[in-house]
Amino acid sequence: MSSSPIPLEPFNENALNFKLPELVESQRQSWISYARTAGFAALFLCGVETKLISIVRSHGQGNAPAFTYQVLLIFSYSALIFNMSAAISAFITIDRLGDMPNRIKKRFDSQELPPSEVRYDHLLEDFGVGTACLWMKKHCVFALFAGTWCMFWQIFLYICMQEAQSVWITMSFVFGIAISPWLALLLKV
């Protein structure tokens, strides 16, 4: 039996030379840069959280009420899961954005790209990023925020359980200062 060769599509030189408009490419690169940073930050926080969980588990409940220790463990594992989820979302976003020019080239002929009068806030969406990528970016932001928030509460509860009252009162003040940028972000000040 002889096998026949698989027919190949003709070589298309235009597919190699296809480039996104500068503004679209700039915004795409901005998203990729954000996703890389968020992904690596989330992975770093996963490593930190793994160490914090081992510290919490090795010290045990101590003299703290069982409920407080359980809440501490919930914050601990939640922080780890949220940060892992943020890293995964960031890497999926990078993958989707990296493949964007190829998908656009398949979708539009170079003369049929979306009009240049598109809105800036929907620029990547108009050029075919898709709702899944937009959702991944929002999920990454939320998960990173939630994971970091859980870590703050975990550390604060651990200090309240293990240290003297003067230490955790002082740390309450420090904690309030540390979360002030988040309040500005939430309140969009």
Side-chain angles (χ1 to χ4, degrees):
M1 290 182 111
S2 68
S3 64
S4 59
I6 299 173
L8 298 174
E9 292 182 21
F11 181 71
N12 183 356
E13 180 129 359
N14 289 336
L16 293 176
N17 296 328
F18 178 74
K19 292 190 178 173
L20 293 170
E22 284 185 40
L23 184 60
V24 176
E25 180 61 24
S26 173
Q27 192 172 25
R28 182 178 83 94
Q29 289 299 326
S30 170
W31 275 36
I32 289 172
S33 177
Y34 160 77
R36 279 186 189 138
T37 304
F40 289 124
L43 288 175
F44 172 75
L45 291 174
C46 283
V48 170
E49 187 56 44
T50 302
K51 183 63 178 169
L52 289 174
I53 288 173
S54 69
I55 291 170
V56 167
R57 300 290 293 178
S58 68
H59 285 184
Q61 183 176 338
N63 295 332
F67 175 75
T68 306
Y69 183 69
Q70 289 173 351
V71 170
L72 177 62
L73 288 177
I74 289 170
F75 278 129
S76 301
Y77 291 117
S78 296
L80 182 62
I81 291 168
F82 277 129
N83 287 317
M84 287 171 28
S85 181
I88 292 167
S89 295
F91 295 136
I92 291 171
T93 301
I94 290 169
D95 180 60
R96 298 261 174 147
L97 290 170
D99 194 38
M100 184 180 159
N102 296 330
R103 282 185 279 124
I104 289 176
K105 180 60 182 156
K106 289 177 185 174
R107 187 172 164 198
F108 300 107
D109 196 359
S110 60
Q111 288 80 24
E112 297 177 24
L113 288 175
S116 58
E117 302 93 35
V118 294
R119 296 172 296 176
Y120 182 75
D121 56 338
H122 294 283
L123 192 59
L124 290 180
E125 191 175 338
D126 292 339
F127 274 82
V129 162
T131 55
C133 191
L134 298 171
W135 186 86
M136 283 294 166
K137 183 181 178 197
K138 290 176 183 177
H139 177 267
C140 180
V141 170
F142 170 78
L144 196 57
F145 185 81
T148 309
W149 188 252
C150 286
M151 284 180 78
F152 266 98
W153 280 108
Q154 172 197 8
I155 293 168
F156 181 72
L157 278 174
Y158 184 77
I159 290 170
C160 290
M161 286 173 51
Q162 298 293 327
E163 303 298 335
Q165 185 177 12
S166 60
V167 173
W168 67 262
I169 289 173
T170 305
M171 293 313 296
S172 298
F173 177 72
V174 171
F175 185 75
I177 293 171
I179 65 169
S180 61
W182 292 7
L183 296 176
L185 176 70
L186 290 174
L187 300 175
K188 297 195 186 238
V189 176

